[in-house]
Amino acid sequence: MTVRERSLMVRARGLRHHLRIWGEDSAPPLLLLHGFLDVSATFAPLATPLAAAGWRVVAPDFRGFGHSQWPEDGYWFADYVADLEALVRALFGDSAALPVIGHSMGGQVAALYAGLRPSRVSRLAVLDSLFLPDGEAAQAAERYRRWLDALQAPLREQRYPDYPTLAGRIRKTHPQLDERQALFVAQCWARPLAGGGVSLRADPRHRLPFPLLYRAAEAETIWRQVQAPTLFVEARRSPFYQGFPAAQRAARRACFAAAQVVEIEAGHMLHFDAPAATAAAVIDFLRSG
C-alpha cells in the first residue's frame, strides 16, 4: 500500500526534534512513541496500515535518538515527558485530545503523560511496556557509585563495518527477522560515517547507568489518574513479558480505569516483528466505543 511519508523538524525545549509523519494532513492525528535505543523510522511497518486506516501518524524521535538533537547535559526520564508535552502544544495547540501509542520506553512516557494530562489523551495504547521492576532502597548507593564511575570513562560510538554487519547483529537478538527486515532496521538505527562504516544514531551517553531507582508506587499513582480507554498489547515472546510475574502485570493494568488486553505472538519489538497483528489490535481499539 502507498502511504504518504515525510519528516518535520520542530524546536521544543531548546532542542531540535525530528518527527516522522505518515498519512494525509487532513486525517485525524495520533502519536506514536518509540522505545529505548529505537527510532521513529522502524515504526513504518506499523504506521503504514494505521495511516491507510485513516489516521495521520506522528512519530517523534526522542531527544538523543534518530535525527533529534543530543542535549548538552545528558538524559533524565522526566525530560521525555516534558518534551512530549511541548511537542503536543507546538503541533496541536493547547486543548486537542488525541490517541497516543507508546512502545516500551515510549509506553512509559505515554502512560505518565496520559495520567498527568488526562484531558489531552483520548485513547492510550501501551505496547509491551510498564514491565520495569520496582527499585529497592538498598540498591541506591551502588547505583549512584556505578553512575559516578561510568562518568569517568570516555564513551565511544558503537561502530560497524557496514549495514549488513549490523543487520547480522540485529538478527542474533531478533532471529525471527529475515535478512531484508534486519537490514531495514539497521538502516533506521545507524548512519554512515565519513571514513567508512556505520554508527548508531543514538547518543552513546544513553548507555550510562542511571543513578535513580524506578519507583513503581509513584508511577501507579499517576496511572490511576488516566481517564482514557487503555489497550495493553503484550508480546508473548518478549523477555520482559515472560520475566515479569503475571500477578504484577495484572496489578499494574488494574491502575487504569478502562483497560483491555490483547496478547500476540511476537517478541519485544512487535512493531517490526508482528506489525500486521499489532496494527489490527490497535485499529480495532481505536475504532471501538
Side-chain angles (χ1 to χ4, degrees):
M1 70 187 72
T2 302
V3 167
R4 185 184 176 204
E5 179 182 347
R6 60 244 183 241
S7 287
L8 176 69
M9 298 297 293
V10 174
R11 191 162 189 87
R13 302 189 66 233
L15 296 177
R16 296 185 309 277
H17 295 262
H18 171 258
L19 301 101
R20 197 173 302 273
I21 303 170
W22 292 266
E24 299 304 318
D25 291 338
S26 58
L30 67 79
L31 281 172
L32 192 53
L33 308 179
H34 69 78
F36 186 66
L37 296 182
D38 203 0
V39 296
S40 62
T42 65
F43 274 119
L46 174 61
T48 298
L50 291 175
W55 283 277
R56 172 164 43 104
V57 181
V58 180
D61 289 334
F62 282 119
R63 57 171 58 203
F65 294 110
H67 295 278
S68 289
Q69 188 175 353
W70 299 4
E72 294 287 340
D73 55 350
Y75 299 91
W76 302 94
F77 195 86
D79 280 321
Y80 299 124
V81 181
D83 289 348
L84 176 59
E85 174 159 84
L87 290 170
V88 168
R89 286 180 171 173
L91 294 168
F92 308 112
D94 291 329
S95 59
L98 67 160
V100 181
I101 303 168
H103 170 249
S104 194
M105 183 189 81
Q108 295 276 350
V109 175
L112 291 175
Y113 179 71
L116 295 168
R117 299 291 192 228
S119 65
R120 302 306 305 271
V121 179
S122 60
R123 288 195 168 245
L124 172 66
V126 179
L127 312 182
D128 206 55
S129 186
L130 309 191
F131 296 147
L132 284 176
D134 194 18
E136 298 180 6
Q139 301 170 333
E142 180 58 27
R143 288 283 291 269
Y144 262 98
R145 289 191 189 99
R146 287 180 56 217
W147 177 63
L148 289 172
D149 291 344
L151 291 176
Q152 310 306 313
L155 286 172
R156 295 182 176 85
E157 293 182 306
Q158 290 181 292
R159 299 188 176 197
Y160 303 88
D162 49 38
Y163 287 112
T165 300
L166 174 56
R169 293 288 298 274
I170 291 169
R171 290 191 73 194
K172 290 182 179 179
T173 305
H174 305 282
Q176 72 280 3
L177 299 180
D178 61 28
E179 291 184 4
R180 179 189 59 81
Q181 291 171 315
L183 184 60
F184 162 74
V185 175
Q187 291 169 337
C188 292
W189 282 358
R191 59 184 174 84
L193 298 172
V198 301
S199 177
L200 296 182
R201 291 186 181 276
D203 186 340
R205 287 178 296 172
H206 287 300
R207 302 201 307 275
L208 287 171
F210 201 62
L212 302 182
L213 298 169
Y214 179 73
R215 298 294 195 183
E218 295 176 6
E220 289 169 358
T221 298
I222 298 173
W223 297 340
R224 291 189 182 97
Q225 299 180 52
V226 174
Q227 298 175 5
T230 302
L231 171 69
F232 290 89
V233 181
E234 299 188 346
R236 293 193 187 101
R237 297 198 303 271
S238 165
F240 300 101
Y241 172 84
Q242 294 178 349
F244 205 77
Q248 290 186 34
R249 293 201 304 271
R252 292 191 179 183
R253 291 195 300 262
C255 296
F256 297 79
Q260 55 185 283
V261 183
V262 172
E263 294 187 358
I264 63 174
E265 285 299 327
H268 179 59
M269 307 301 278
L270 70 183
H271 53 297
F272 57 72
D273 183 359
T278 305
V282 171
I283 290 170
D284 286 347
F285 169 68
L286 294 176
R287 287 177 171 171
S288 65

mmCIF file with all atom_site columns, all heavy atoms in Angstrom, residues 139-158:
data_model
loop_
_atom_site.group_PDB
_atom_site.id
_atom_site.type_symbol
_atom_site.label_atom_id
_atom_site.label_alt_id
_atom_site.label_comp_id
_atom_site.label_asym_id
_atom_site.label_entity_id
_atom_site.label_seq_id
_atom_site.pdbx_PDB_ins_code
_atom_site.Cartn_x
_atom_site.Cartn_y
_atom_site.Cartn_z
_atom_site.occupancy
_atom_site.B_iso_or_equiv
_atom_site.pdbx_formal_charge
_atom_site.auth_seq_id
_atom_site.auth_comp_id
_atom_site.auth_asym_id
_atom_site.auth_atom_id
_atom_site.pdbx_PDB_model_num
ATOM 1   N N   . GLN A 1 139 ? 19.528 -0.683 47.014 1.00 0.00 ? 139 GLN A N   1
ATOM 2   C CA  . GLN A 1 139 ? 20.334 -0.615 45.800 1.00 0.00 ? 139 GLN A CA  1
ATOM 3   C C   . GLN A 1 139 ? 20.850 0.793  45.506 1.00 0.00 ? 139 GLN A C   1
ATOM 4   O O   . GLN A 1 139 ? 21.687 0.971  44.618 1.00 0.00 ? 139 GLN A O   1
ATOM 5   C CB  . GLN A 1 139 ? 19.494 -1.078 44.598 1.00 0.00 ? 139 GLN A CB  1
ATOM 6   C CG  . GLN A 1 139 ? 18.955 -2.487 44.715 1.00 0.00 ? 139 GLN A CG  1
ATOM 7   C CD  . GLN A 1 139 ? 17.950 -2.794 43.620 1.00 0.00 ? 139 GLN A CD  1
ATOM 8   O OE1 . GLN A 1 139 ? 17.286 -1.901 43.094 1.00 0.00 ? 139 GLN A OE1 1
ATOM 9   N NE2 . GLN A 1 139 ? 17.841 -4.063 43.266 1.00 0.00 ? 139 GLN A NE2 1
ATOM 10  N N   . ALA A 1 140 ? 20.371 1.790  46.249 1.00 0.00 ? 140 ALA A N   1
ATOM 11  C CA  . ALA A 1 140 ? 20.607 3.178  45.871 1.00 0.00 ? 140 ALA A CA  1
ATOM 12  C C   . ALA A 1 140 ? 22.088 3.555  45.841 1.00 0.00 ? 140 ALA A C   1
ATOM 13  O O   . ALA A 1 140 ? 22.575 4.164  44.874 1.00 0.00 ? 140 ALA A O   1
ATOM 14  C CB  . ALA A 1 140 ? 19.844 4.110  46.802 1.00 0.00 ? 140 ALA A CB  1
ATOM 15  N N   . ALA A 1 141 ? 22.827 3.214  46.883 1.00 0.00 ? 141 ALA A N   1
ATOM 16  C CA  . ALA A 1 141 ? 24.227 3.621  46.953 1.00 0.00 ? 141 ALA A CA  1
ATOM 17  C C   . ALA A 1 141 ? 25.040 3.015  45.813 1.00 0.00 ? 141 ALA A C   1
ATOM 18  O O   . ALA A 1 141 ? 25.847 3.702  45.166 1.00 0.00 ? 141 ALA A O   1
ATOM 19  C CB  . ALA A 1 141 ? 24.821 3.225  48.305 1.00 0.00 ? 141 ALA A CB  1
ATOM 20  N N   . GLU A 1 142 ? 24.834 1.714  45.553 1.00 0.00 ? 142 GLU A N   1
ATOM 21  C CA  . GLU A 1 142 ? 25.583 1.059  44.486 1.00 0.00 ? 142 GLU A CA  1
ATOM 22  C C   . GLU A 1 142 ? 25.215 1.637  43.118 1.00 0.00 ? 142 GLU A C   1
ATOM 23  O O   . GLU A 1 142 ? 26.087 1.784  42.253 1.00 0.00 ? 142 GLU A O   1
ATOM 24  C CB  . GLU A 1 142 ? 25.318 -0.443 44.508 1.00 0.00 ? 142 GLU A CB  1
ATOM 25  C CG  . GLU A 1 142 ? 26.061 -1.219 43.434 1.00 0.00 ? 142 GLU A CG  1
ATOM 26  C CD  . GLU A 1 142 ? 27.579 -1.040 43.501 1.00 0.00 ? 142 GLU A CD  1
ATOM 27  O OE1 . GLU A 1 142 ? 28.102 -0.764 44.606 1.00 0.00 ? 142 GLU A OE1 1
ATOM 28  O OE2 . GLU A 1 142 ? 28.230 -1.175 42.447 1.00 0.00 ? 142 GLU A OE2 1
ATOM 29  N N   . ARG A 1 143 ? 23.961 1.972  42.918 1.00 0.00 ? 143 ARG A N   1
ATOM 30  C CA  . ARG A 1 143 ? 23.550 2.567  41.655 1.00 0.00 ? 143 ARG A CA  1
ATOM 31  C C   . ARG A 1 143 ? 24.258 3.910  41.427 1.00 0.00 ? 143 ARG A C   1
ATOM 32  O O   . ARG A 1 143 ? 24.752 4.194  40.326 1.00 0.00 ? 143 ARG A O   1
ATOM 33  C CB  . ARG A 1 143 ? 22.023 2.782  41.628 1.00 0.00 ? 143 ARG A CB  1
ATOM 34  C CG  . ARG A 1 143 ? 21.199 1.520  41.491 1.00 0.00 ? 143 ARG A CG  1
ATOM 35  C CD  . ARG A 1 143 ? 21.213 1.010  40.062 1.00 0.00 ? 143 ARG A CD  1
ATOM 36  N NE  . ARG A 1 143 ? 20.489 1.885  39.162 1.00 0.00 ? 143 ARG A NE  1
ATOM 37  C CZ  . ARG A 1 143 ? 19.190 1.760  38.885 1.00 0.00 ? 143 ARG A CZ  1
ATOM 38  N NH1 . ARG A 1 143 ? 18.465 0.800  39.447 1.00 0.00 ? 143 ARG A NH1 1
ATOM 39  N NH2 . ARG A 1 143 ? 18.616 2.585  38.040 1.00 0.00 ? 143 ARG A NH2 1
ATOM 40  N N   . TYR A 1 144 ? 24.316 4.730  42.458 1.00 0.00 ? 144 TYR A N   1
ATOM 41  C CA  . TYR A 1 144 ? 24.996 6.022  42.338 1.00 0.00 ? 144 TYR A CA  1
ATOM 42  C C   . TYR A 1 144 ? 26.485 5.828  42.071 1.00 0.00 ? 144 TYR A C   1
ATOM 43  O O   . TYR A 1 144 ? 27.089 6.530  41.252 1.00 0.00 ? 144 TYR A O   1
ATOM 44  C CB  . TYR A 1 144 ? 24.793 6.849  43.608 1.00 0.00 ? 144 TYR A CB  1
ATOM 45  C CG  . TYR A 1 144 ? 23.683 7.874  43.489 1.00 0.00 ? 144 TYR A CG  1
ATOM 46  C CD1 . TYR A 1 144 ? 22.414 7.613  43.979 1.00 0.00 ? 144 TYR A CD1 1
ATOM 47  C CD2 . TYR A 1 144 ? 23.911 9.100  42.867 1.00 0.00 ? 144 TYR A CD2 1
ATOM 48  C CE1 . TYR A 1 144 ? 21.388 8.547  43.869 1.00 0.00 ? 144 TYR A CE1 1
ATOM 49  C CE2 . TYR A 1 144 ? 22.903 10.037 42.758 1.00 0.00 ? 144 TYR A CE2 1
ATOM 50  C CZ  . TYR A 1 144 ? 21.640 9.753  43.259 1.00 0.00 ? 144 TYR A CZ  1
ATOM 51  O OH  . TYR A 1 144 ? 20.638 10.688 43.133 1.00 0.00 ? 144 TYR A OH  1
ATOM 52  N N   . ARG A 1 145 ? 27.125 4.853  42.753 1.00 0.00 ? 145 ARG A N   1
ATOM 53  C CA  . ARG A 1 145 ? 28.555 4.616  42.541 1.00 0.00 ? 145 ARG A CA  1
ATOM 54  C C   . ARG A 1 145 ? 28.826 4.191  41.095 1.00 0.00 ? 145 ARG A C   1
ATOM 55  O O   . ARG A 1 145 ? 29.793 4.646  40.478 1.00 0.00 ? 145 ARG A O   1
ATOM 56  C CB  . ARG A 1 145 ? 29.063 3.546  43.510 1.00 0.00 ? 145 ARG A CB  1
ATOM 57  C CG  . ARG A 1 145 ? 29.149 3.997  44.952 1.00 0.00 ? 145 ARG A CG  1
ATOM 58  C CD  . ARG A 1 145 ? 29.915 2.991  45.793 1.00 0.00 ? 145 ARG A CD  1
ATOM 59  N NE  . ARG A 1 145 ? 29.815 3.337  47.207 1.00 0.00 ? 145 ARG A NE  1
ATOM 60  C CZ  . ARG A 1 145 ? 28.968 2.771  48.056 1.00 0.00 ? 145 ARG A CZ  1
ATOM 61  N NH1 . ARG A 1 145 ? 28.159 1.811  47.632 1.00 0.00 ? 145 ARG A NH1 1
ATOM 62  N NH2 . ARG A 1 145 ? 28.938 3.129  49.315 1.00 0.00 ? 145 ARG A NH2 1
ATOM 63  N N   . ARG A 1 146 ? 28.011 3.285  40.586 1.00 0.00 ? 146 ARG A N   1
ATOM 64  C CA  . ARG A 1 146 ? 28.185 2.831  39.192 1.00 0.00 ? 146 ARG A CA  1
ATOM 65  C C   . ARG A 1 146 ? 28.070 3.999  38.230 1.00 0.00 ? 146 ARG A C   1
ATOM 66  O O   . ARG A 1 146 ? 28.830 4.107  37.259 1.00 0.00 ? 146 ARG A O   1
ATOM 67  C CB  . ARG A 1 146 ? 27.146 1.764  38.853 1.00 0.00 ? 146 ARG A CB  1
ATOM 68  C CG  . ARG A 1 146 ? 27.396 0.413  39.482 1.00 0.00 ? 146 ARG A CG  1
ATOM 69  C CD  . ARG A 1 146 ? 26.306 -0.575 39.096 1.00 0.00 ? 146 ARG A CD  1
ATOM 70  N NE  . ARG A 1 146 ? 26.190 -0.670 37.640 1.00 0.00 ? 146 ARG A NE  1
ATOM 71  C CZ  . ARG A 1 146 ? 25.037 -0.821 36.999 1.00 0.00 ? 146 ARG A CZ  1
ATOM 72  N NH1 . ARG A 1 146 ? 23.892 -0.867 37.669 1.00 0.00 ? 146 ARG A NH1 1
ATOM 73  N NH2 . ARG A 1 146 ? 25.022 -0.931 35.694 1.00 0.00 ? 146 ARG A NH2 1
ATOM 74  N N   . TRP A 1 147 ? 27.126 4.874  38.482 1.00 0.00 ? 147 TRP A N   1
ATOM 75  C CA  . TRP A 1 147 ? 26.939 6.042  37.617 1.00 0.00 ? 147 TRP A CA  1
ATOM 76  C C   . TRP A 1 147 ? 28.144 6.979  37.688 1.00 0.00 ? 147 TRP A C   1
ATOM 77  O O   . TRP A 1 147 ? 28.676 7.413  36.655 1.00 0.00 ? 147 TRP A O   1
ATOM 78  C CB  . TRP A 1 147 ? 25.660 6.768  38.032 1.00 0.00 ? 147 TRP A CB  1
ATOM 79  C CG  . TRP A 1 147 ? 25.379 8.037  37.285 1.00 0.00 ? 147 TRP A CG  1
ATOM 80  C CD1 . TRP A 1 147 ? 25.129 8.190  35.946 1.00 0.00 ? 147 TRP A CD1 1
ATOM 81  C CD2 . TRP A 1 147 ? 25.325 9.352  37.845 1.00 0.00 ? 147 TRP A CD2 1
ATOM 82  N NE1 . TRP A 1 147 ? 24.904 9.509  35.640 1.00 0.00 ? 147 TRP A NE1 1
ATOM 83  C CE2 . TRP A 1 147 ? 25.019 10.250 36.794 1.00 0.00 ? 147 TRP A CE2 1
ATOM 84  C CE3 . TRP A 1 147 ? 25.474 9.856  39.130 1.00 0.00 ? 147 TRP A CE3 1
ATOM 85  C CZ2 . TRP A 1 147 ? 24.879 11.625 36.989 1.00 0.00 ? 147 TRP A CZ2 1
ATOM 86  C CZ3 . TRP A 1 147 ? 25.321 11.221 39.341 1.00 0.00 ? 147 TRP A CZ3 1
ATOM 87  C CH2 . TRP A 1 147 ? 25.037 12.088 38.278 1.00 0.00 ? 147 TRP A CH2 1
ATOM 88  N N   . LEU A 1 148 ? 28.608 7.277  38.906 1.00 0.00 ? 148 LEU A N   1
ATOM 89  C CA  . LEU A 1 148 ? 29.769 8.148  39.064 1.00 0.00 ? 148 LEU A CA  1
ATOM 90  C C   . LEU A 1 148 ? 31.009 7.544  38.403 1.00 0.00 ? 148 LEU A C   1
ATOM 91  O O   . LEU A 1 148 ? 31.782 8.242  37.740 1.00 0.00 ? 148 LEU A O   1
ATOM 92  C CB  . LEU A 1 148 ? 30.033 8.408  40.546 1.00 0.00 ? 148 LEU A CB  1
ATOM 93  C CG  . LEU A 1 148 ? 29.035 9.314  41.269 1.00 0.00 ? 148 LEU A CG  1
ATOM 94  C CD1 . LEU A 1 148 ? 29.312 9.318  42.766 1.00 0.00 ? 148 LEU A CD1 1
ATOM 95  C CD2 . LEU A 1 148 ? 29.090 10.733 40.718 1.00 0.00 ? 148 LEU A CD2 1
ATOM 96  N N   . ASP A 1 149 ? 31.205 6.247  38.565 1.00 0.00 ? 149 ASP A N   1
ATOM 97  C CA  . ASP A 1 149 ? 32.347 5.588  37.951 1.00 0.00 ? 149 ASP A CA  1
ATOM 98  C C   . ASP A 1 149 ? 32.263 5.648  36.432 1.00 0.00 ? 149 ASP A C   1
ATOM 99  O O   . ASP A 1 149 ? 33.268 5.887  35.748 1.00 0.00 ? 149 ASP A O   1
ATOM 100 C CB  . ASP A 1 149 ? 32.425 4.127  38.408 1.00 0.00 ? 149 ASP A CB  1
ATOM 101 C CG  . ASP A 1 149 ? 32.801 3.985  39.875 1.00 0.00 ? 149 ASP A CG  1
ATOM 102 O OD1 . ASP A 1 149 ? 33.299 4.971  40.462 1.00 0.00 ? 149 ASP A OD1 1
ATOM 103 O OD2 . ASP A 1 149 ? 32.577 2.888  40.423 1.00 0.00 ? 149 ASP A OD2 1
ATOM 104 N N   . ALA A 1 150 ? 31.065 5.436  35.898 1.00 0.00 ? 150 ALA A N   1
ATOM 105 C CA  . ALA A 1 150 ? 30.900 5.437  34.439 1.00 0.00 ? 150 ALA A CA  1
ATOM 106 C C   . ALA A 1 150 ? 31.155 6.811  33.839 1.00 0.00 ? 150 ALA A C   1
ATOM 107 O O   . ALA A 1 150 ? 31.630 6.926  32.699 1.00 0.00 ? 150 ALA A O   1
ATOM 108 C CB  . ALA A 1 150 ? 29.498 4.961  34.076 1.00 0.00 ? 150 ALA A CB  1
ATOM 109 N N   . LEU A 1 151 ? 30.877 7.868  34.598 1.00 0.00 ? 151 LEU A N   1
ATOM 110 C CA  . LEU A 1 151 ? 31.113 9.222  34.095 1.00 0.00 ? 151 LEU A CA  1
ATOM 111 C C   . LEU A 1 151 ? 32.596 9.505  33.878 1.00 0.00 ? 151 LEU A C   1
ATOM 112 O O   . LEU A 1 151 ? 32.957 10.414 33.125 1.00 0.00 ? 151 LEU A O   1
ATOM 113 C CB  . LEU A 1 151 ? 30.539 10.255 35.069 1.00 0.00 ? 151 LEU A CB  1
ATOM 114 C CG  . LEU A 1 151 ? 29.012 10.318 35.175 1.00 0.00 ? 151 LEU A CG  1
ATOM 115 C CD1 . LEU A 1 151 ? 28.605 11.323 36.254 1.00 0.00 ? 151 LEU A CD1 1
ATOM 116 C CD2 . LEU A 1 151 ? 28.386 10.703 33.840 1.00 0.00 ? 151 LEU A CD2 1
ATOM 117 N N   . GLN A 1 152 ? 33.467 8.741  34.535 1.00 0.00 ? 152 GLN A N   1
ATOM 118 C CA  . GLN A 1 152 ? 34.906 8.969  34.408 1.00 0.00 ? 152 GLN A CA  1
ATOM 119 C C   . GLN A 1 152 ? 35.497 8.341  33.149 1.00 0.00 ? 152 GLN A C   1
ATOM 120 O O   . GLN A 1 152 ? 36.600 8.693  32.730 1.00 0.00 ? 152 GLN A O   1
ATOM 121 C CB  . GLN A 1 152 ? 35.630 8.395  35.634 1.00 0.00 ? 152 GLN A CB  1
ATOM 122 C CG  . GLN A 1 152 ? 35.052 8.824  36.967 1.00 0.00 ? 152 GLN A CG  1
ATOM 123 C CD  . GLN A 1 152 ? 34.938 10.327 37.113 1.00 0.00 ? 152 GLN A CD  1
ATOM 124 O OE1 . GLN A 1 152 ? 35.884 11.066 36.818 1.00 0.00 ? 152 GLN A OE1 1
ATOM 125 N NE2 . GLN A 1 152 ? 33.779 10.787 37.559 1.00 0.00 ? 152 GLN A NE2 1
ATOM 126 N N   . ALA A 1 153 ? 34.779 7.398  32.566 1.00 0.00 ? 153 ALA A N   1
ATOM 127 C CA  . ALA A 1 153 ? 35.315 6.671  31.406 1.00 0.00 ? 153 ALA A CA  1
ATOM 128 C C   . ALA A 1 153 ? 34.826 7.311  30.113 1.00 0.00 ? 153 ALA A C   1
ATOM 129 O O   . ALA A 1 153 ? 33.662 7.715  30.016 1.00 0.00 ? 153 ALA A O   1
ATOM 130 C CB  . ALA A 1 153 ? 34.877 5.209  31.461 1.00 0.00 ? 153 ALA A CB  1
ATOM 131 N N   . PRO A 1 154 ? 35.691 7.430  29.108 1.00 0.00 ? 154 PRO A N   1
ATOM 132 C CA  . PRO A 1 154 ? 35.246 8.002  27.828 1.00 0.00 ? 154 PRO A CA  1
ATOM 133 C C   . PRO A 1 154 ? 34.240 7.086  27.145 1.00 0.00 ? 154 PRO A C   1
ATOM 134 O O   . PRO A 1 154 ? 34.364 5.855  27.176 1.00 0.00 ? 154 PRO A O   1
ATOM 135 C CB  . PRO A 1 154 ? 36.545 8.108  27.018 1.00 0.00 ? 154 PRO A CB  1
ATOM 136 C CG  . PRO A 1 154 ? 37.461 7.091  27.624 1.00 0.00 ? 154 PRO A CG  1
ATOM 137 C CD  . PRO A 1 154 ? 37.108 7.025  29.081 1.00 0.00 ? 154 PRO A CD  1
ATOM 138 N N   . LEU A 1 155 ? 33.233 7.692  26.539 1.00 0.00 ? 155 LEU A N   1
ATOM 139 C CA  . LEU A 1 155 ? 32.227 6.928  25.808 1.00 0.00 ? 155 LEU A CA  1
ATOM 140 C C   . LEU A 1 155 ? 32.540 6.960  24.317 1.00 0.00 ? 155 LEU A C   1
ATOM 141 O O   . LEU A 1 155 ? 32.905 8.008  23.777 1.00 0.00 ? 155 LEU A O   1
ATOM 142 C CB  . LEU A 1 155 ? 30.836 7.512  26.056 1.00 0.00 ? 155 LEU A CB  1
ATOM 143 C CG  . LEU A 1 155 ? 30.221 7.235  27.423 1.00 0.00 ? 155 LEU A CG  1
ATOM 144 C CD1 . LEU A 1 155 ? 28.950 8.038  27.596 1.00 0.00 ? 155 LEU A CD1 1
ATOM 145 C CD2 . LEU A 1 155 ? 29.928 5.751  27.590 1.00 0.00 ? 155 LEU A CD2 1
ATOM 146 N N   . ARG A 1 156 ? 32.407 5.837  23.666 1.00 0.00 ? 156 ARG A N   1
ATOM 147 C CA  . ARG A 1 156 ? 32.673 5.753  22.233 1.00 0.00 ? 156 ARG A CA  1
ATOM 148 C C   . ARG A 1 156 ? 31.421 5.319  21.495 1.00 0.00 ? 156 ARG A C   1
ATOM 149 O O   . ARG A 1 156 ? 30.624 4.542  22.018 1.00 0.00 ? 156 ARG A O   1
ATOM 150 C CB  . ARG A 1 156 ? 33.810 4.759  21.952 1.00 0.00 ? 156 ARG A CB  1
ATOM 151 C CG  . ARG A 1 156 ? 35.158 5.190  22.517 1.00 0.00 ? 156 ARG A CG  1
ATOM 152 C CD  . ARG A 1 156 ? 36.245 4.185  22.160 1.00 0.00 ? 156 ARG A CD  1
ATOM 153 N NE  . ARG A 1 156 ? 37.560 4.622  22.616 1.00 0.00 ? 156 ARG A NE  1
ATOM 154 C CZ  . ARG A 1 156 ? 38.035 4.410  23.835 1.00 0.00 ? 156 ARG A CZ  1
ATOM 155 N NH1 . ARG A 1 156 ? 37.300 3.770  24.715 1.00 0.00 ? 156 ARG A NH1 1
ATOM 156 N NH2 . ARG A 1 156 ? 39.242 4.848  24.167 1.00 0.00 ? 156 ARG A NH2 1
ATOM 157 N N   . GLU A 1 157 ? 31.271 5.826  20.299 1.00 0.00 ? 157 GLU A N   1
ATOM 158 C CA  . GLU A 1 157 ? 30.158 5.414  19.466 1.00 0.00 ? 157 GLU A CA  1
ATOM 159 C C   . GLU A 1 157 ? 30.292 3.933  19.106 1.00 0.00 ? 157 GLU A C   1
ATOM 160 O O   . GLU A 1 157 ? 31.398 3.423  18.922 1.00 0.00 ? 157 GLU A O   1
ATOM 161 C CB  . GLU A 1 157 ? 30.113 6.234  18.172 1.00 0.00 ? 157 GLU A CB  1
ATOM 162 C CG  . GLU A 1 157 ? 29.783 7.700  18.360 1.00 0.00 ? 157 GLU A CG  1
ATOM 163 C CD  . GLU A 1 157 ? 29.714 8.427  17.035 1.00 0.00 ? 157 GLU A CD  1
ATOM 164 O OE1 . GLU A 1 157 ? 30.705 8.335  16.279 1.00 0.00 ? 157 GLU A OE1 1
ATOM 165 O OE2 . GLU A 1 157 ? 28.702 9.073  16.763 1.00 0.00 ? 157 GLU A OE2 1
ATOM 166 N N   . GLN A 1 158 ? 29.165 3.256  19.006 1.00 0.00 ? 158 GLN A N   1
ATOM 167 C CA  . GLN A 1 158 ? 29.173 1.869  18.543 1.00 0.00 ? 158 GLN A CA  1
ATOM 168 C C   . GLN A 1 158 ? 29.257 1.880  17.021 1.00 0.00 ? 158 GLN A C   1
ATOM 169 O O   . GLN A 1 158 ? 28.372 2.394  16.344 1.00 0.00 ? 158 GLN A O   1
ATOM 170 C CB  . GLN A 1 158 ? 27.903 1.151  19.010 1.00 0.00 ? 158 GLN A CB  1
ATOM 171 C CG  . GLN A 1 158 ? 27.878 0.900  20.511 1.00 0.00 ? 158 GLN A CG  1
ATOM 172 C CD  . GLN A 1 158 ? 26.627 0.160  20.940 1.00 0.00 ? 158 GLN A CD  1
ATOM 173 O OE1 . GLN A 1 158 ? 25.534 0.688  20.887 1.00 0.00 ? 158 GLN A OE1 1
ATOM 174 N NE2 . GLN A 1 158 ? 26.795 -1.071 21.376 1.00 0.00 ? 158 GLN A NE2 1
#
